[in-house]
């Protein structure tokens, strides 16, 4: 059997920027022709990658919708984009798959455009060039489909001021038999909540009152990741005839990150779910679980950077849909490697993703359909996680102390939330053929001399 893991390697972005600057009419601005303007060059970038969070009523500290909004922040915008701290997107751009759904990150050219705009005095440019304001679903507090069930987590108080709040809340899932999810959406319950909810990740978990659990109750046996919430995020409607298994008797858990906004707020988070009919099993069942946790345990001496490795074997062929590193405050970086089953003397493996990790941003990376790895049965998923327990890690609360594994935020973890669906052997062959037929380069071709 031929063994192959196919995915698309991103083509080098064309250097279109210089061309577009040359074409910029000198009359458009009093600046030199090379100086990008807000209306023509910068606003489109902000609209695509920033205003989902940076607009009135959302969680980012300021709006970047208009020139008046953005001008005072020009320096900070240059600094944060040049450092690739904004927008939050931590995938290593030099390794593995680069095609994702909803990737807001900026190209090197876009970052250069912003920097040139700022260095050139941050001119407004011709008002006629200003793109129409980006439209958002009427209100992200509307459901974007008709939910069959709405799960309301208990409200949580966010004080007028204080440190960010992290923790978990639980709610019942009102189903009386196992079901499959067709569409799912998290929403902040009201406009005020929308301002304080930084992140909200929902899981189906064992009842915490039955199981031993702590501050971060992802027990070893795992919960099941359902959906994340971040500003500007829409409903997830799964592709035709695919769905997520929802087991009766589980609890919904939301892992939240809330921040104060100068007014006391009772933050409300809700989960809307549309279900397939009772008894219906969709063709593709989409799984999401915490996988490849280190079996050796975590042992990070004070002041050091430690690496841990976790492995899990896929017993069936699969299409891997998403990757989300999970660590705690010392988490620095995680890579996901696929080790394909051995055939004869050949042994192939490849790193499909590496992402830096920041506990403030639990980002879920969903592979684009044409790029999602298709793996044969017997493939081993290998996570490599690095934890930085030194003073170099700015968020390290206590670099003088040893850290081990555990549930509390100050303990460590290292695994990946992996989304996938299983493929039969026939489906696997079909998918591999379809990939070959599309003119996509494969890593296997690259590996062959
Ligand atoms: C997913 C939501 C989100 C997106 C998308 C996003 N930001 Fe932010 N941004 C935030 C939040 C939350 C903060 C405040 C916390 C922090 O500083 O990390 C912030 C902070 C900032 C700051 C620092 C503000 C200060 O107080 O100094 C700048 C500058 C910034 N963002 C610019 C941008 C730009 C430019 C983009 C797009 C290229 C962008 N952001 C995209 C959420 C977002």
């Amino acid at each position: 059997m031929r063994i192959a893991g196919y995915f698309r390697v991103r083509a080098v972005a064309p250097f279109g920027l210089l061309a577009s600057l040359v074409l910029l009419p000198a009359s458009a601005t009093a600046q030199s022709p090379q100086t990008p303007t807000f209306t023509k060059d910068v606003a489109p970038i902000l609209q695509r990658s920033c205003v989902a969070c940076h607009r009135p009523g959302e969680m980012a500290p300021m709006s970047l919708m208009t020139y008046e909004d953005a001008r005072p922040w020009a320096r900070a915008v240059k600094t944060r984009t040049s450092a690739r701290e904004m927008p939050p997107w931590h995938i290593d751009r030099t390794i593995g798959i680069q095609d994702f759904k909803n990737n807001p990150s900026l190209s090197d050219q876009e970052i250069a455009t912003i920097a040139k705009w700022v260095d050139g005095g941050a001119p407004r440019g011709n008002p006629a060039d200003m793109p129409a304001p980006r439209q958002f679903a009427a209100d992200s507090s509307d459901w974007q489909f008709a939910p069959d069930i709405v799960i309301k987590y208990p409200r949580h108080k966010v004080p007028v001021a204080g440190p960010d709040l992290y923790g978990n809340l639980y709610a019942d899932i009102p189903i009386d038999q196992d079901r499959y999810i067709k569409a799912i959406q998290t929403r902040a319950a009201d406009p005020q909540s929308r301002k304080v909810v930084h992140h909200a990740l929902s899981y189906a978990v064992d009842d915490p009152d039955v199981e031993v659990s702590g501050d971060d109750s992802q027990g070893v046996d795992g919960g099941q990741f359902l959906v994340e919430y971040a500003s500007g995020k829409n409903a997830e409607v799964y592709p035709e005839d695919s769905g997520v298994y929802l087991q009766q008797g589980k609890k919904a858990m939301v892992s939240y990150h809330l921040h104060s906004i100068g007014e006391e707020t009772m933050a409300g988070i809700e989960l809307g779910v549309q279900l397939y009919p009772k008894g219906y099993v969709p063709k593709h069942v989409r799984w999401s679980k915490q996988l490849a946790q280190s079996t050796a345990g975590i042992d990070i001496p004070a002041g050091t950077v430690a690496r841990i490795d976790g492995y899990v074997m896929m017993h069936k062929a699969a299409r891997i849909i998403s990757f989300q590193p999970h660590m705690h405050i010392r988490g620095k970086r995680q890579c996901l490697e696929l080790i394909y089953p051995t055939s004869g003397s050949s042994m192939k493996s490849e790193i499909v993703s590496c992402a830096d990790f920041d506990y403030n941003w639990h980002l879920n990376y969903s592979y684009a359909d044409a790029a999602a790895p298709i793996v044969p049965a017997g493939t081993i998923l290998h996570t490599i996680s690095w934890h930085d327990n030194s003073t170099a890690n700015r968020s390290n609360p206590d670099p003088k102390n040893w850290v081990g594994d555990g549930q509390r935020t100050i303990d460590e973890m290292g695994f990946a939330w992996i989304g996938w669906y299983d493929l039969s052997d026939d489906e696997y062959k079909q998918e591999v053929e379809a990939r070959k037929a599309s003119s996509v380069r494969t890593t296997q071709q690259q590996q062959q001399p």
Side-chain angles (χ1 to χ4, degrees):
M1 184 177 122
R2 255 192 86 177
I3 291 152
Y6 286 90
F7 62 83
R8 174 179 289 179
V9 176
R10 182 187 222 160
V12 175
F15 288 88
L17 174 72
L18 281 177
S20 72
L21 288 177
V22 172
L23 294 176
L24 188 77
S27 61
T29 158
Q31 312 291 316
S32 82
Q34 288 92 336
T35 301
T37 68
F38 184 81
T39 53
K40 189 173 168 60
D41 306 292
V42 175
I45 301 173
L46 304 186
Q47 291 213 358
R48 178 174 64 84
S49 294
C50 318
V51 303
C53 303
H54 287 274
R55 69 190 151 106
E58 289 296 339
M59 57 130 158
M62 75 288 189
S63 168
L64 294 174
M65 291 285 282
T66 66
Y67 181 69
E68 284 71 21
D69 290 340
R71 180 64 189 83
W73 294 96
R75 288 258 131 233
V77 164
K78 178 186 165 189
T79 311
R80 294 294 205 109
T81 52
S82 300
R84 287 200 175 279
E85 289 168 3
M86 283 286 150
W89 179 263
H90 303 137
I91 284 285
D92 186 324
R93 301 161 67 81
T94 64
I95 298 173
I97 300 173
Q98 296 298 326
D99 284 351
F100 294 89
K101 295 180 174 164
N102 305 325
N103 175 354
S105 69
L106 304 186
S107 66
D108 292 341
Q109 286 74 30
E110 288 170 322
I111 292 171
T113 299
I114 290 175
K116 271 190 166 184
W117 171 66
V118 174
D119 295 342
R124 179 197 297 267
N126 183 350
D129 290 335
M130 185 69 185
R134 178 168 155 195
Q135 298 299 313
F136 291 91
D139 183 343
S140 28
S141 30
D142 288 342
W143 296 119
Q144 289 163 28
F145 53 81
D148 297 312
I149 55 175
V150 174
I151 295 162
K152 297 185 180 185
Y153 295 108
R155 292 213 173 227
H156 196 283
K157 185 158 101 183
V158 184
V160 180
D164 284 11
L165 304 171
Y166 300 90
N168 299 319
L169 298 166
Y170 297 86
D172 289 329
I173 303 177
I175 51 172
D176 54 13
Q177 63 182 81
D178 296 355
R179 300 288 291 271
Y180 288 89
I181 302 173
K182 201 173 173 183
I184 189 163
Q185 180 186 352
T186 311
R187 73 175 188 183
D190 48 65
Q192 192 69 4
S193 295
R194 215 161 81 209
K195 292 188 204 163
V196 301
V197 179
H198 185 293
H199 263 90
L201 286 81
S202 284
Y203 306 87
V205 297
D206 293 328
D207 192 330
D209 295 335
V210 177
E211 205 193 30
V212 196
S213 118
D215 167 44
D216 187 324
S217 81
Q218 282 116 23
V220 195
D221 197 21
Q224 182 192 0
F225 177 65
L226 295 175
V227 67
E228 88 275 17
Y229 168 84
S231 286
K233 162 115 191 175
N234 294 324
E236 271 184 44
V237 180
Y238 299 125
E240 193 70 7
D241 216 7
S242 72
V244 168
Y245 177 58
L246 189 58
Q247 201 185 335
Q248 193 262 328
K250 295 275 178 183
K251 286 262 186 184
M253 177 187 91
V254 67
S255 180
Y256 62 79
H257 173 184
L258 306 171
H259 62 171
S260 296
I261 53 159
E263 299 167 59
E264 185 175 299
T265 303
M266 289 302 292
I269 302 167
E270 297 178 355
L271 196 59
V273 184
Q274 198 177 62
L275 298 164
Y276 282 100
K278 283 188 182 178
Y280 183 83
V281 181
K283 183 160 169 243
H284 292 299
V285 177
R286 188 183 153 129
W287 301 102
S288 189
K289 290 195 172 167
Q290 56 181 67
L291 293 183
Q293 178 131 341
S294 159
T295 42
I298 300 176
D299 176 2
I300 318 172
T304 64
V305 176
R307 164 178 165 164
I308 59 166
D309 293 76
Y311 301 87
V312 67
M313 187 192 277
M314 306 295 280
H315 295 285
K316 295 180 178 166
R319 167 186 273 265
I320 296 178
I321 301 167
S322 66
F323 163 61
Q324 181 187 324
H326 183 90
M327 289 176 264
H328 288 173
I329 317 174
R330 271 93 174 178
K332 225 27 203 171
R333 180 175 166 87
Q334 187 179 82
C335 293
L336 175 64
E337 183 186 40
L338 304 179
I339 304 171
Y340 298 111
T342 311
S343 95
S345 60
S346 86
M347 161 86 192
K348 288 200 190 307
S349 68
E350 58 194 342
I351 304 254
V352 287
S353 290
C354 289
D356 287 340
F357 187 78
D358 175 347
Y359 192 70
N360 284 322
W361 294 104
H362 286 262
L363 300 175
N364 186 272
Y365 303 105
S366 288
Y367 297 117
D369 289 341
I374 297 162
V375 303
T379 299
I380 292 166
L381 307 190
H382 172 203
T383 56
I384 309 162
S385 308
W386 286 269
H387 293 93
D388 185 349
N389 192 20
S390 76
T391 46
N393 180 353
R394 276 183 297 164
S395 39
N396 192 347
D398 189 3
K400 292 209 176 72
N401 242 323
W402 172 87
V403 177
D405 40 352
Q407 304 283 337
R408 298 171 304 169
T409 317
I410 54 165
D411 301 324
E412 269 310 331
M413 290 200 167
F415 62 80
W417 289 102
I418 299 290
W420 83 96
Y421 59 69
D422 294 331
L423 299 171
S424 69
D425 289 343
D426 279 350
E427 285 168 338
Y428 170 71
K429 280 186 203 132
Q430 282 165 16
E431 295 241 14
V432 169
E433 286 308 316
R435 278 288 165 86
K436 268 196 243 162
S438 69
S439 57
V440 161
R441 282 163 71 210
T442 70
T443 44
Q444 197 185 28
Q445 283 160 1
Q446 290 179 324
Q447 284 171 2
Q448 278 163 358

